[in-house]
Amino acid sequence: MISILAIVVSLVALAYAGYLSLQILKVEPGNEKMQQIANAIKEGAMTYMARQYKTISIFAVAITALLWILFSFPIAAGFLFGAILSGISGYIGMSISVQANVRTAQAAKKGIKEALSVAFKGGSVTGMAVVGLALLAVSVFYTFYSDPAMLVGLGFGASLISLFARVGGGIYTKAADVGADLVGKVEKGIPEDDPRNPATIADNVGDNVGDCAGMGADLYETYVVTLLAAMLLAMIPSVSNMYNMTIEYPLMLGIVAIIGSIIGIQFVRLGKSENIMGAMYKGLAASGIISAIGFYLVTYYTNNPLNLFLATVVGLVITILINIITEYYTSTKYRPVQKIAEASLTGAGTNLISGLAIGLQSTLVPVIVICAGILAAYFLAGVYGIAIAAVAMLSLTGVIIALDSYGPITDNAGGIAEMAELNKKVRKVTDALDAVGNTTKAVTKGYAIGSAALGALALFAAFTQEIGHFMTKPLQFLLTDPVVIVGLFVGALLPFLFSSVLMSAVGTTAHKVVVEVRRQFKEIKGIMEGKAQPEYGKCVDIVTKAALRNMILPAVIAISAPLLIGLLLGVKALGGLLIGVILSGLLLALFMSNAGAAWDNAKKYIEDGNHGGKGKDAHKAAVVGDTVGDPFKDTAGPALNALIKVINTFAIVFAPLFVAYGLKLF
């Protein structure tokens, strides 16, 4: 039975993650001062995660009870199971990150190869844990119920927890980062991660809860809901009559992908050139090639036409192209980032204008690629082909998350090296790793956005099929229907409203951090001379409370909007809303993520000695741009992925309710 094999392979992935964890823990954690700093970061991260999950659990239990009352036990149990595994995936990523950071700093004493090995293994733990848990969740539930319709609660649980993780972690990390930069870099002129900055521990904690835990939960739920959408579409008679083993086919792709990821991770190692990004791409390429071969064998084994295999190739090609495009717009090696750095010579205003222009421009080519991919996949295998292309995109999730989680590990390693006053050669190694980490984080965000968009389209197709089960005549979403148009407008509005709430939360919390950091510099004598210890815990407490408080409203928006539209205007308006939020959310997420990453790397480009280097006017202007870009790329932009999928999975789960009780006003 395929689902049993999927369970076995998912457990292999989790076992491999455990093996890598043991390898990391064998590395020396450094001297006493390094361990003290690392423990402070670990304690802050663990405290935040514990309080976050305590808050989320209240909502999870209430929603589980509601789903049981309204629908059935399998839907409610699926929601709870999906939510728990989503939380675990984020927790694993964060917990290994705070162990790997100090060990990467210690390994940097030996050289760049050793440091890269530790950091990438740390990221790989998160990657393999996420894909293992995601495939495990879907295959276990399918083994029990043998009906994809019973998995919709699972997808909703994964999506909702992902939204909380992305929103809470994003607010935490960027409020701390912005607050630390505005006083430390701009006002005091001290370096990043300087131990004299009272917000530096909170900043380092934020890297873990935002990028590691947040991205882990994000791609876990993307993986789950995309598999769910493909399996739901496989039940359409026209699909099941045309292809073989349509429900099991996505699970088989997931099995192959895990094997490809485990092998691909082995290829990430430095050669004589010490090209870090090249080493990363070797692993990604190896994983993609092995997965493609496996997809062909799966297609051949199931006796399906070549078109289905070609749909998987479409998904892999989309992934490769989006990675290349995102790197072009966000890497210091290419013209867009260099142009922003050049604009910084005339001040913060021109830096901001240039960054906004680059961010807006960066949406063009990815959208063309996604549109071409949708058309190609549809031509090959209809709506099922689109879902299969999305599943194929997610076949690289294990390695992609490894690349993403590598970033905050190396960022923390650099911070620990700075605060522990290690040799400049160590900081040079960690800076080289961190520079690549900024690019990998941007690239993986582009991948997450693209895969979310394609997965959400498959979810929308699944929504239309689910609605059809409860209606006496086929449902059509016509652009001449005013109700559909109203739904489109509301759906297109939601990402903007949602982003506004998040940006406001970061700004308000960063203001509190700035006030606290200024207070400490003023009242605690000797901080700037290094004779007095800052009160790091004050800033950690400020951002923890703010993140937990401000993650509630975005979740309310994500759930209440489809509920109100579905009940007040009916399923036609709801369908319009789903398409509107996908299109608007995709464009806004691409713009914000790419603009933010480009601003960040423009600052790094100047710090590398270009346009006067650190401390000069161009650098000060670039710091302002980076400060604006931080909540773009690490809070609002990534959280839009979760918003899109929460709304779509919510619509599928509550489809019977909307058909039965939605007002038929039009």
Side-chain angles (χ1 to χ4, degrees):
M1 195 174 181
I2 299 300
S3 59
I4 298 296
L5 180 60
I7 292 172
V8 172
V9 173
S10 62
L11 292 175
V12 169
L14 295 173
Y16 183 62
Y19 166 76
L20 290 175
S21 299
L22 293 175
Q23 293 293 306
I24 292 166
L25 294 176
K26 287 180 181 178
V27 178
E28 282 188 39
N31 60 41
E32 186 177 348
K33 189 170 185 179
M34 291 169 67
Q35 291 182 53
Q36 286 177 348
I37 296 165
N39 285 335
I41 296 170
K42 180 181 176 181
E43 183 181 345
M46 292 294 189
T47 300
Y48 171 75
M49 292 295 284
R51 290 172 67 175
Q52 182 187 54
Y53 287 147
K54 184 178 178 180
T55 303
I56 293 172
S57 64
I58 298 170
F59 289 90
V61 170
I63 293 172
T64 300
L66 181 65
L67 292 174
W68 195 349
I69 294 168
L70 290 177
F71 302 113
S72 64
F73 173 76
I75 299 296
F79 172 84
L80 190 60
F81 190 51
I84 290 170
L85 290 191
S86 178
I88 291 173
S89 66
Y91 187 83
I92 288 173
M94 189 276 301
S95 60
I96 195 61
S97 174
V98 296
Q99 298 282 357
N101 54 12
V102 68
R103 289 167 170 81
T104 300
Q106 176 67 13
K109 295 178 180 178
K110 297 179 181 178
I112 197 164
K113 289 184 180 180
E114 290 81 0
L116 173 63
S117 175
V118 175
F120 190 73
K121 282 179 181 175
S124 299
V125 171
T126 308
M128 297 315 301
V130 166
V131 294
L133 287 169
L135 186 61
L136 181 68
V138 175
S139 53
V140 163
F141 246 68
Y142 182 65
T143 300
F144 269 97
Y145 294 105
S146 301
D147 181 3
M150 293 294 101
L151 274 67
V152 292
L154 184 77
F156 181 42
S159 297
L160 190 60
I161 301 310
S162 166
L163 182 69
F164 279 117
R166 264 302 189 195
V167 168
I171 293 170
Y172 188 116
T173 183
K174 289 304 110 178
D177 194 1
V178 169
D181 283 355
L182 284 176
V183 182
K185 288 184 180 180
V186 178
E187 295 183 10
K188 296 295 183 180
I190 58 179
E192 190 169 357
D193 298 316
D194 194 297
R196 293 172 292 179
N197 193 327
T200 191
I201 293 294
D203 185 11
N204 280 278
V205 170
D207 291 332
N208 297 292
V209 300
D211 278 315
C212 290
M215 178 61 90
D218 183 356
L219 283 175
Y220 162 85
E221 65 100 4
T222 301
Y223 201 110
V224 169
V225 299
T226 304
L227 279 176
L228 165 65
M231 294 169 76
L232 285 172
L233 292 174
M235 298 171 66
I236 301 173
S238 59
V239 173
S240 57
N241 292 336
M242 185 176 296
Y243 303 108
N244 301 314
M245 300 180 69
T246 50
I247 296 176
E248 290 81 8
Y249 188 81
L251 290 178
M252 296 172 77
L253 298 185
I255 292 169
V256 167
I258 283 180
I259 296 169
S261 294
I262 291 174
I263 298 172
I265 286 169
Q266 314 307 315
F267 283 81
V268 179
R269 59 186 67 183
L270 285 177
K272 292 181 181 178
S273 65
E274 294 194 347
N275 182 347
I276 302 170
M277 201 70 202
M280 300 284 193
Y281 280 147
K282 275 193 298 185
L284 192 60
S287 180
I289 291 168
I290 293 163
S291 293
I293 294 170
F295 295 163
Y296 176 79
L297 295 175
V298 165
T299 308
Y300 179 80
Y301 167 76
T302 55
N303 198 28
N304 274 304
L306 189 63
N307 281 9
L308 213 51
F309 163 69
L310 293 177
T312 69
V313 174
V314 168
L316 293 174
V317 170
I318 292 173
T319 300
I320 293 166
L321 291 177
I322 285 181
N323 283 359
I324 292 170
I325 295 161
T326 306
E327 184 181 358
Y328 172 74
Y329 278 104
T330 59
S331 172
T332 56
K333 295 186 293 184
Y334 302 110
R335 183 61 186 156
V337 166
Q338 293 172 10
K339 188 176 179 181
I340 296 171
E342 197 175 294
S344 304
L345 289 167
T346 48
T350 46
N351 169 282
L352 294 173
I353 292 168
S354 181
L356 289 170
I358 293 298
L360 291 166
Q361 183 193 111
S362 72
T363 62
L364 173 64
V365 185
V367 168
I368 291 173
V369 168
I370 290 170
C371 289
I374 290 168
L375 291 174
Y378 185 83
F379 173 78
L380 289 165
V383 291
Y384 186 60
I386 295 173
I388 291 301
V391 172
M393 278 192 77
L394 289 161
S395 68
L396 300 175
T397 297
V399 179
I400 291 286
I401 293 178
L403 296 181
D404 181 79
S405 297
Y406 154 92
I409 290 172
T410 55
D411 194 348
N412 268 201
I416 291 168
E418 180 77 32
M419 287 183 276
E421 300 175 333
L422 299 183
N423 190 293
K424 287 185 178 179
K425 290 181 179 179
V426 174
R427 186 68 212 230
K428 188 176 180 181
V429 169
T430 58
D431 281 349
L433 295 171
D434 186 27
V436 173
N438 281 325
T439 302
T440 61
K441 284 191 287 185
V443 166
T444 53
K445 285 183 177 69
Y447 165 84
I449 293 164
S451 60
L454 213 58
L457 282 175
L459 282 172
F460 175 75
F463 164 76
T464 60
Q465 293 301 316
E466 193 68 15
I467 286 290
H469 295 154
F470 306 100
M471 303 196 70
T472 55
K473 59 181 181 179
L475 183 65
Q476 293 182 310
F477 299 98
L478 301 175
L479 291 180
T480 54
D481 189 332
V483 177
V484 175
I485 295 296
V486 168
L488 281 169
F489 271 110
V490 174
L493 164 72
L494 287 177
F496 289 89
L497 177 63
F498 182 82
S499 298
S500 170
V501 171
L502 297 186
M503 295 289 286
S504 296
V506 171
T508 303
T509 309
H511 173 78
K512 293 178 181 178
V513 174
V514 167
V515 170
E516 174 59 26
V517 172
R518 284 174 178 167
R519 181 195 70 78
Q520 292 195 34
F521 276 123
K522 183 179 180 180
E523 296 180 6
I524 303 175
K525 305 301 181 184
I527 286 183
M528 284 300 291
E529 294 77 24
K531 296 178 181 178
Q533 183 88 344
E535 296 174 349
Y536 299 117
K538 297 280 188 182
C539 292
V540 171
D541 191 54
I542 288 171
V543 289
T544 297
K545 289 178 179 177
L548 294 173
R549 183 174 61 253
N550 287 296
M551 72 181 184
I552 306 302
L553 180 57
V556 171
I557 291 172
I559 292 175
S560 62
L563 182 64
L564 291 174
I565 291 296
L567 291 177
L568 296 180
L569 296 180
V571 292
K572 287 185 179 181
L574 180 58
L577 180 143
L578 298 183
I579 288 295
V581 78
I582 291 170
L583 298 180
S584 171
L586 167 65
L587 291 168
L588 191 58
L590 284 171
F591 159 63
M592 297 182 97
S593 294
N594 290 340
W599 268 316
D600 190 354
N601 274 341
K603 178 198 69 176
K604 292 279 194 299
Y605 182 75
I606 294 172
E607 288 175 347
D608 288 339
N610 300 289
H611 304 306
K614 290 183 180 180
K616 302 300 181 182
D617 289 341
H619 181 242
K620 291 177 181 177
V623 169
V624 174
D626 178 40
T627 301
V628 174
D630 272 341
F632 266 46
K633 68 181 174 67
D634 288 326
T635 307
L640 287 171
N641 300 339
L643 174 73
I644 292 169
K645 289 168 290 186
V646 165
I647 289 178
N648 276 271
T649 52
F650 180 86
I652 294 174
V653 171
F654 284 81
L657 191 70
F658 297 137
V659 173
Y661 300 106
L663 295 180
K664 312 297 189 298
L665 296 179
F666 301 94

